Amino acid sequence: MKWKKDSYFDSIERIHKSVELKPILALKNVIAQEPSCSIPISAISKRGLEFDIHIKVARFLRQYPSFFEEFTGPLYSLPWFKLTQEAIEIDREEKRVYEECRDDLRERLKRFVLMSKEKVLPLKIIKGMEWYLGLPSDFLEHFEVNLDGSFRFVEMEDGLKGLAVENIGEEKVLSVLQRNAMKRGLYVGEPMEPIEFPFFPQKGLRLKRKIDHWFNEFQKVPYVSPYEDYSHLDPDSDVGEKRVVGFLHELLSLFVEHSAQRKKLLCLKKYFGLPQKVHRAFERHTHLFYLSLRNNTCTTILKEPFCDKYAIEEHPLARVREKYIKLLKQSKVILKTRRLKNQSDDQGNLGKDLD
């Protein structure tokens, strides 16, 4: 199916602002850990790469006055930065969401691990997906509070430390597609039972007859849940392709923005049994995924939660991030106001000099 630009998906702020928001919140978390919610620039000036910041950290902080307020420190007149009152209030709400929704976040992490080939993932893979899963940066450090008895830390090959999950309960883990199909009475839970993917066609695009026929036949192919054993499947078969598409659907449904940078998903191939050219699944199934080229990167977006608000439940952290994005946009207003004020002051000084 031919890819077509869609202005709606290219304009969703909670998706495309997350690239800019991520390093801001990383710095915010470091400052919020201090009792006074303030920190000298010397404590973070050399940690730019850690926060994925490629300019001087002080310059970066000054770009977001709605988050960070600069003042002169008590010693040696060094610049210090503290959180604004608005940032502190949203940070408190974020921590409250973490406390109230700990079970939900644990369940999302559990599902993420259960989809893997051996039901175990390296900790570095989980750390790399924390932003998308909505987990706080110290979630695994406080495992005695955040994890239950089904999790255990293990040693993996190449000396990697991993997190394994054992499905203790007898209840079968169902994907979002399976649960929605059951609600509509279209699925009873039989093995290799077909489930149709939701269809969200691109606007103004008519399918060729042969593509329409292929898609209808593909919908009749048996559905293999990402939580089931797939070792017996031929990866080049239609069933193998449908299993990959179902995995990507379930993975993006677990994420906060129901989207991710495509290059970030490619590192999952080894541990989730994905084909070498998994990116083709996004290109072949444009009725389910949208590829956005904003921010000089390729972002894959799951269409379903934006086209059918009742199909996939909203992530508990989504509303908090929307508030952060709203605060982020205020920085441009503050900086513009400052520039206009400085220009006015300069003109006033110039008039006095002429007099």
Side-chain angles (χ1 to χ4, degrees):
M1 300 184 194
K2 190 176 180 180
W3 177 86
K4 187 177 181 182
K5 185 179 178 64
D6 192 318
S7 58
Y8 170 71
F9 291 106
D10 283 331
S11 62
I12 301 176
E13 286 189 333
R14 56 184 280 191
I15 293 177
H16 302 292
K17 286 289 185 182
S18 64
V19 176
E20 185 179 3
L21 187 64
K22 185 178 178 181
I24 297 174
L25 296 190
L27 280 169
K28 183 269 301 179
N29 291 335
V30 171
I31 299 176
Q33 291 175 357
E34 300 295 323
S36 61
C37 287
S38 61
I39 198 170
I41 187 60
S42 58
I44 52 176
S45 59
K46 297 181 180 181
R47 299 170 61 184
L49 294 179
E50 177 186 336
F51 304 120
D52 198 21
I53 297 173
H54 303 285
I55 60 175
K56 288 186 176 181
V57 177
R59 180 185 171 190
F60 180 85
L61 291 167
R62 290 174 183 135
Q63 290 179 348
Y64 302 100
S66 60
F67 279 88
F68 311 106
E69 185 178 337
E70 184 177 358
F71 65 100
T72 303
L75 296 175
Y76 311 113
S77 298
L78 288 174
W80 281 52
F81 289 88
K82 65 180 180 180
L83 297 180
T84 62
Q85 189 58 40
E86 293 84 356
I88 292 174
E89 291 175 359
I90 303 177
D91 177 69
R92 288 172 182 166
E93 181 180 350
E94 182 182 16
K95 290 176 179 175
R96 187 168 61 250
V97 170
Y98 285 143
E99 289 293 326
E100 295 174 353
C101 302
R102 182 181 286 114
D103 292 343
D104 182 271
L105 297 176
R106 183 193 301 127
E107 181 64 22
R108 290 175 187 271
L109 175 59
K110 185 181 296 185
R111 286 176 172 270
F112 180 59
V113 178
L114 283 175
M115 284 193 291
S116 63
K117 192 165 21 177
E118 305 293 338
K119 314 302 180 190
V120 58
L121 286 176
L123 295 182
K124 67 175 185 177
I125 293 291
I126 297 175
K127 292 290 290 183
M129 292 289 122
E130 280 180 343
W131 172 261
Y132 294 124
L133 291 168
L135 303 176
S137 57
D138 59 349
F139 191 81
L140 294 179
E141 296 174 12
H142 303 288
F143 61 89
E144 67 281 349
V145 178
N146 295 323
L147 304 181
D148 57 24
S150 62
F151 292 90
R152 58 187 177 89
F153 292 96
V154 298
E155 293 290 335
M156 301 182 65
E157 58 182 10
D158 301 329
L160 295 175
K161 291 186 177 181
L163 183 67
V165 173
E166 297 176 358
N167 192 17
I168 299 176
E170 296 181 359
E171 187 176 354
K172 182 181 177 181
V173 181
L174 299 177
S175 66
V176 172
L177 281 172
Q178 288 173 316
R179 295 198 300 268
N180 289 342
M182 277 187 170
K183 290 178 183 177
R184 296 192 297 266
L186 303 176
Y187 178 73
V188 296
E190 294 293 332
M192 301 298 286
E193 186 177 352
I195 296 180
E196 294 187 359
F197 288 118
F199 184 70
F200 304 103
Q202 301 178 77
K203 294 180 181 178
L205 184 66
R206 294 181 62 184
L207 296 183
K208 293 181 180 179
R209 183 175 298 176
K210 64 178 182 179
I211 297 179
D212 188 37
H213 174 73
W214 165 82
F215 180 72
N216 291 330
E217 292 300 315
F218 184 78
Q219 293 283 49
K220 300 174 184 177
V221 172
Y223 171 81
V224 178
S225 169
Y227 304 106
E228 297 176 8
D229 178 35
Y230 57 87
S231 57
H232 62 285
L233 298 179
D234 179 3
D236 296 326
S237 64
D238 286 344
V239 179
E241 180 179 352
K242 192 163 186 176
R243 180 255 160 189
V244 172
V245 176
F247 165 81
L248 295 171
H249 179 280
E250 182 71 7
L251 181 67
L252 293 175
S253 70
L254 296 176
F255 290 171
V256 179
E257 287 92 17
H258 305 301
S259 65
Q261 291 185 35
R262 188 173 64 174
K263 63 182 180 181
K264 297 287 186 180
L265 300 180
L266 299 182
C267 67
L268 304 178
K269 290 187 291 188
K270 176 181 177 181
Y271 300 100
F272 291 91
L274 302 176
Q276 187 65 26
K277 297 181 179 180
V278 63
H279 60 276
R280 288 186 175 178
F282 300 119
E283 300 162 4
R284 284 171 57 84
H285 299 271
T286 56
H287 58 283
L288 195 59
F289 308 106
Y290 178 76
L291 295 176
S292 175
L293 303 179
R294 281 191 58 180
N295 299 323
N296 296 320
T297 187
C298 183
T299 303
T300 180
I301 303 171
L302 182 63
K303 288 184 173 183
E304 188 172 11
F306 302 99
C307 299
D308 184 359
K309 294 182 179 180
Y310 301 102
I312 299 175
E313 61 180 354
E314 185 181 60
H315 195 287
L317 206 63
R319 295 185 182 276
V320 176
R321 287 193 183 171
E322 287 178 355
K323 291 184 178 182
Y324 277 128
I325 291 173
K326 187 176 180 181
L327 185 63
L328 170 65
K329 293 165 67 176
Q330 291 180 16
S331 290
K332 292 185 177 180
V333 178
I334 295 172
L335 293 175
K336 184 177 181 180
T337 303
R338 287 180 182 176
R339 285 196 299 269
L340 293 175
K341 184 177 183 300
N342 291 336
Q343 290 175 4
S344 176
D345 292 343
D346 291 341
Q347 290 176 357
N349 293 332
L350 179 61
K352 290 180 181 179
D353 292 341
L354 291 174
D355 290 341

